[in-house]
Structures are given as structure tokens and as C-alpha cells.
Amino acid sequence: MQGDTAEREGISRREFTDFRQEMRDYMAAQTSLMSQMVELQTKHINLESRVDRNERDLEEMEKRIRPLESNQNGSAAATKYNRDLIWLMLSFIVGLAAYALKR
């Protein structure tokens, strides 16, 4: 009965079989493309999480490096105190030497 209806509408059995095979090929291609898309999406998510981890690691490293850099620049309180103490001692010694020479 179905073949009779198809033949009445002008579609031969061969055309229907070809169409059905073409649809199967397209569905297989679409399935393959969907699989590739899921794979790419997974890779994208993995890359995003890796970039986020790298940014966090970089921020943590910067937090640890900043105090070290400030200590090297002499901006730490202990370094300033030591520098001021050295200048005070030098000026005291120079003052004593000047006083000794005037006397």
C-alpha cells in the first residue's frame, strides 16, 4: 500500500531508497560533526581551566615576590632603621673627630 501511494505521487521505489540512504549519510555526518563539537568544547573548557589556574599561580607568585623586591629596594622598615643607624653612627664619629682636631 505504501509503495502504491509513493508511485501515485510520482516517487519511485529507487528514488525513495536513494533518498533514505542520502538521509542516513547526512545523519552520520551530523553525528560525526556533533562528536567533534563535543570534543572541541571539552578541549576549550580544559584550556580555560588551565588558563585560570595559571593566572592564580601567577598572582600567588607576584604576592610572594613583591615583599622580596621591596626588601631589595631598601624600602623595608628594618632596612630603613639600619640605614639611619649607620648614618647616625657615622655623623657621631665625624663629630668626635672634628672635636678632637679642634682641640
Side-chain angles (χ1 to χ4, degrees):
M1 185 167 174
Q2 201 175 29
D4 294 339
T5 308
E7 286 179 12
R8 274 188 270 141
E9 293 177 3
I11 299 173
S12 69
R13 188 167 203 54
R14 178 73 181 147
E15 288 173 331
F16 178 73
T17 305
D18 290 344
F19 172 76
R20 188 174 58 192
Q21 185 59 42
E22 187 178 355
M23 285 300 293
R24 285 182 181 160
D25 292 343
Y26 284 135
M27 292 300 289
Q30 182 180 7
T31 302
S32 173
L33 287 174
M34 291 294 286
S35 174
Q36 290 175 6
M37 186 177 78
V38 168
E39 183 180 342
L40 286 174
Q41 186 176 12
T42 303
K43 286 180 181 180
H44 176 75
I45 290 170
N46 289 339
L47 284 174
E48 273 186 335
S49 65
R50 186 176 295 170
V51 166
D52 290 342
R53 260 194 325 267
N54 286 342
E55 286 178 353
R56 282 191 307 256
D57 291 345
L58 184 61
E59 287 174 4
E60 289 175 15
M61 190 180 306
E62 284 178 352
K63 287 178 186 176
R64 291 191 329 229
I65 289 176
R66 282 187 192 121
L68 295 174
E69 287 177 342
S70 66
N71 286 341
Q72 286 180 349
N73 294 334
S75 61
T79 306
K80 286 181 181 179
Y81 174 75
N82 290 339
R83 186 179 60 219
D84 293 343
L85 185 61
I86 289 170
W87 279 109
L88 179 66
M89 295 294 287
L90 281 174
S91 50
F92 181 72
I93 292 171
V94 168
L96 283 177
Y99 177 74
L101 287 175
K102 284 186 179 182
R103 220 172 156 217

